[in-house]
Amino acid sequence: MSKANNGANLGFESKLWEMADKLRGHMDASEYKHVVLGLIFLKYISDAFQHKYDELAATAETEYTDPEDRDEYLADNIFWVPPEARWEKIQAQAPQPTIGKVIDEAMTAIERENPSLKGVLPKDYSRPTLDKTRLGELVKLVGDIDLKARESGVRDPLGRVYEYFLGRFAAAEGKGGGEFYTPQCVVQLLVQMIEPYKGRVYDPCCGSGGMFVQSEKFVEEHGGRLGDIAVYGQESNPTTWKLARMNLAIRGIDADLGPHQADSFHNDLHKDLKADYILANPPFNMSDWGGERLKEDVRWKYGVPPANNANYAWIQHFIHHLGPNGIAGFVMANGSMSTSTTAELAIRKGIIEDDLVDCIIALPGQLFYTTQIPVCLWFLARNKKADPKRGYRDRSGETLFIDARRMGQLVDRVHRELTAEDIDTIAGVYHAWRSEGGEYEDKPGWWQSATLEDIKGHGYVLTPGRYVGAEEQEDDGVPFEEKMAELTAQLYEQFAKSDALEATIKKNLEVLGYGE
């Protein structure tokens, strides 16, 4: 296992991961994920409950508060945890062979007492294939998270551990799994670019909810409050939908993910939603999306997307849900920028001519666990006119292209990450370009502001490499004649070495009886 942390701080989380992973034994990461994350969630709601319980118990004599009054918990948006599901009871039974049954009953009791969690929690800890000794040790490990967090001076330890473990499970599952998770550096870049300070944030293929967690972090880091943004999401995979529900609950994020999992194309749960911000990482080049059943759909303003690739169906779904001043940032496979199939080219041309494309970024390869294909980020703005409130200049007829393929650093043999400096640089360029009075300048080889006419001249291809040109080479001050003489001498020296090597090989072949 690599030491990649995918953006989280290397600290107590990584130590916990190593310990939890040791207890995995021969179980698949995809299966173990639900065992571990379910326990972390159980610990979280039990801790939140216990904190409130202790507060109420402390004022029982003076203010007549009752720590067993469930209304006190509901009023503070805290889950009510019945006695049999409280962590201390579970931990006390960790060494027993019945621990699986105890956890299942705790999960069932919590769902029964909290209807909003109905059908969300895993309840198969008593299955015979789950080693109960290892499970007991895992319960103890999760129980010690607070202790380890205190030693490391960490706040919000369970939320951080949940998020960190999601990333590590995505890495462990690798290709064919891990689709529930978008690498944290990509999410951070998307969020830093569009700056969702206040309003409705939507992700129609929300996976485990990483876009929302990062959006809330952004709001809090910039002086806003939890609740300044309203979160709307949807996810088609039922187990991933449950992970997202737990991930958001553990961070205290009140989100509308619909009453159940559902496919955004065939059962849009937020039909009337017009979002201020859309953040998404839809599945790449999805070929089996049922497009043939949606030919007359109202969302296909720019044309019917092909039935064998959902990329332009996702793009039009985003546009359909974008509010009058909304901005969308999403991940796409690189083919989306240049595909020339009749249907896709016509749709892209329509979107470009309607002046929706604000920025395109080509990303380095190897950022994702699930695929090695190169990807890009699209940013679409419904309104590019000047917006003094937000400090935006009039960008009508302009698009910014950024070629970030040479950014990032390898974190192991096959995975790369954008560094915090890379993210600041890219977002900084976009903000300078977008802002009134921003100090933006084109940088050959890296970024270039292009006009609608430029894009038409390139046949509506949006690949940044077409626009940014070649990087300027730094002048080393050596006169051309001098440099040429030096390079020629080096070349002739290499020719001579090559001739000598060839002669040696021929001689050896003769000795072996294979001469000419």
Side-chain angles (χ1 to χ4, degrees):
M1 181 56 61
S2 79
K3 297 211 179 293
N5 71 336
N6 217 30
N9 295 324
L10 274 178
F12 86 110
E13 303 102 317
S14 62
K15 285 180 196 156
L16 272 169
W17 167 261
E18 283 169 20
M19 292 161 75
D21 203 41
K22 266 187 203 163
L23 294 172
R24 175 151 69 100
H26 299 292
M27 197 184 290
D28 286 343
S30 56
E31 195 185 354
Y32 192 57
K33 172 178 73 200
H34 298 290
V35 174
V36 176
L37 296 177
L39 280 181
I40 294 174
F41 184 74
L42 186 58
K43 175 74 163 58
Y44 160 75
I45 58 171
S46 190
D47 279 7
F49 171 85
Q50 191 62 45
H51 183 71
K52 182 71 183 172
Y53 186 97
D54 293 344
E55 272 183 13
L56 294 170
T59 53
E61 295 287 327
T62 52
E63 297 176 27
Y64 306 105
T65 50
D66 177 4
E68 293 292 343
D69 180 357
R70 81 171 53 203
D71 289 343
E72 296 274 11
Y73 299 85
L74 293 178
D76 279 359
N77 207 19
I78 293 170
F79 293 112
W80 166 259
V81 182
E84 68 270 30
R86 293 174 194 171
W87 189 261
E88 59 180 11
K89 294 272 173 70
I90 292 166
Q91 185 140 349
Q93 301 196 53
Q96 306 300 324
T98 52
I99 181 63
K101 187 164 172 282
V102 169
I103 297 171
D104 284 346
E105 287 172 356
M107 296 288 192
T108 304
I110 289 170
E111 283 196 357
R112 187 182 62 237
E113 299 290 341
N114 300 279
S116 69
L117 292 175
K118 190 170 169 48
V120 171
L121 306 181
K123 295 181 285 291
D124 55 355
Y125 288 85
S126 58
R127 63 186 185 272
T129 51
L130 188 58
D131 184 318
K132 300 303 177 293
T133 307
R134 288 178 192 273
L135 180 59
E137 289 174 33
L138 192 61
V139 168
K140 182 170 183 327
L141 181 68
V142 173
D144 286 344
I145 288 178
D146 283 345
L147 185 66
K148 301 216 172 299
R150 276 200 296 275
E151 286 168 1
S152 307
V154 167
R155 285 174 59 232
D156 184 24
L158 289 156
R160 280 180 58 163
V161 168
Y162 193 95
E163 191 180 356
Y164 181 77
F165 276 27
L166 274 173
R168 295 306 298 259
F169 278 120
E173 289 184 37
K175 202 173 180 183
E179 281 191 352
F180 54 87
Y181 186 78
T182 304
Q184 208 175 62
C185 65
V186 176
V187 181
Q188 283 170 344
L189 176 57
L190 281 167
V191 168
Q192 208 160 311
M193 288 283 288
I194 74 170
E195 300 181 302
Y197 285 111
K198 201 166 193 173
R200 292 173 295 260
V201 180
Y202 174 51
D203 181 351
C205 39
C206 68
S208 51
M211 300 287 184
F212 302 136
V213 171
Q214 199 58 44
S215 296
E216 286 283 4
K217 273 188 196 167
F218 178 85
V219 169
E220 287 183 297
E221 281 166 12
H222 291 80
R225 290 167 305 153
L226 198 68
D228 276 356
I229 55 173
V231 170
Y232 299 87
Q234 185 161 342
E235 171 56 44
S236 60
N237 181 307
T239 53
T240 304
W241 180 80
K242 292 174 187 176
L243 287 180
R245 288 288 306 273
M246 290 193 281
N247 192 17
L248 298 177
I250 212 167
R251 307 306 292 242
I253 298 171
D254 188 16
D256 180 354
L257 303 188
H260 47 71
Q261 85 285 351
D263 182 317
S264 286
F265 290 135
H266 296 276
N267 184 11
D268 188 352
L269 297 175
H270 304 288
K271 265 196 172 69
D272 300 325
L273 174 68
K274 295 295 178 192
D276 300 296
Y277 305 97
I278 294 176
L279 290 157
N281 171 25
F284 299 133
N285 301 320
M286 197 174 159
S287 58
D288 184 19
W289 63 284
E292 64 284 351
R293 288 179 278 135
L294 290 172
K295 288 192 174 166
E296 306 295 323
D297 199 279
V298 66
R299 290 169 288 185
W300 313 150
K301 180 181 174 186
Y302 297 100
V304 179
N308 62 356
N309 191 315
N311 287 348
Y312 276 87
W314 282 116
I315 294 174
Q316 293 195 84
H317 180 86
F318 302 146
I319 293 171
H320 178 77
H321 281 288
L322 207 51
N325 291 306
I327 180 160
F330 51 88
V331 186
M332 276 280 140
N334 272 5
S336 63
M337 299 185 290
S338 59
T339 173
S340 56
T341 65
T342 310
E344 290 175 317
L345 177 57
I347 297 169
R348 190 169 68 246
K349 186 177 168 188
I351 294 170
I352 292 169
E353 290 190 337
D354 264 6
D355 201 16
L356 294 178
V357 185
D358 206 30
C359 178
I360 298 281
I361 302 173
L363 291 177
Q366 302 175 295
L367 289 175
F368 284 77
Y369 297 119
T370 49
T371 176
Q372 296 291 315
I373 66 167
V375 300
C376 57
L377 300 182
W378 287 57
F379 294 89
L380 303 181
R382 179 70 84 185
N383 180 8
K384 291 191 189 174
K385 299 276 184 209
D387 182 346
K389 264 190 182 171
R390 297 201 276 186
Y392 299 168
R393 69 183 181 87
D394 186 351
R395 323 183 291 288
S396 302
E398 295 177 37
T399 297
L400 178 65
F401 290 94
I402 299 178
D403 189 347
R405 287 176 297 170
R406 286 159 290 165
M407 290 189 180
Q409 61 185 27
L410 281 171
V411 289
D412 62 29
R413 198 167 49 81
V414 290
H415 294 122
R416 185 177 289 275
E417 278 183 6
L418 292 171
T419 64
E421 292 74 27
D422 292 333
I423 294 170
D424 286 346
T425 300
I426 297 169
V429 167
Y430 174 59
H431 295 157
W433 174 82
R434 183 176 66 175
S435 304
E436 190 65 61
E439 293 180 1
Y440 168 82
E441 275 185 28
D442 291 336
K443 184 174 179 181
W446 292 92
W447 45 80
Q448 176 79 35
S449 182
T451 65
L452 206 48
E453 287 306 311
D454 295 332
I455 299 173
K456 283 181 189 170
H458 282 284
Y460 297 95
V461 168
L462 293 173
T463 311
R466 292 254 185 147
Y467 301 90
V468 302
E471 188 174 6
E472 281 179 355
Q473 295 297 316
E474 200 174 325
D475 186 359
D476 56 9
V478 180
F480 174 78
E481 290 76 12
E482 196 178 316
K483 193 183 282 182
M484 197 61 200
E486 188 185 327
L487 290 172
T488 308
Q490 271 182 16
L491 189 61
Y492 276 100
E493 193 181 325
Q494 283 163 356
F495 283 159
K497 283 183 182 170
S498 168
D499 290 344
L501 187 62
E502 186 181 339
T504 306
I505 293 170
K506 281 181 176 172
K507 195 174 171 186
N508 288 342
L509 285 170
E510 274 176 23
V511 170
L512 293 170
Y514 294 99
E516 284 179 333

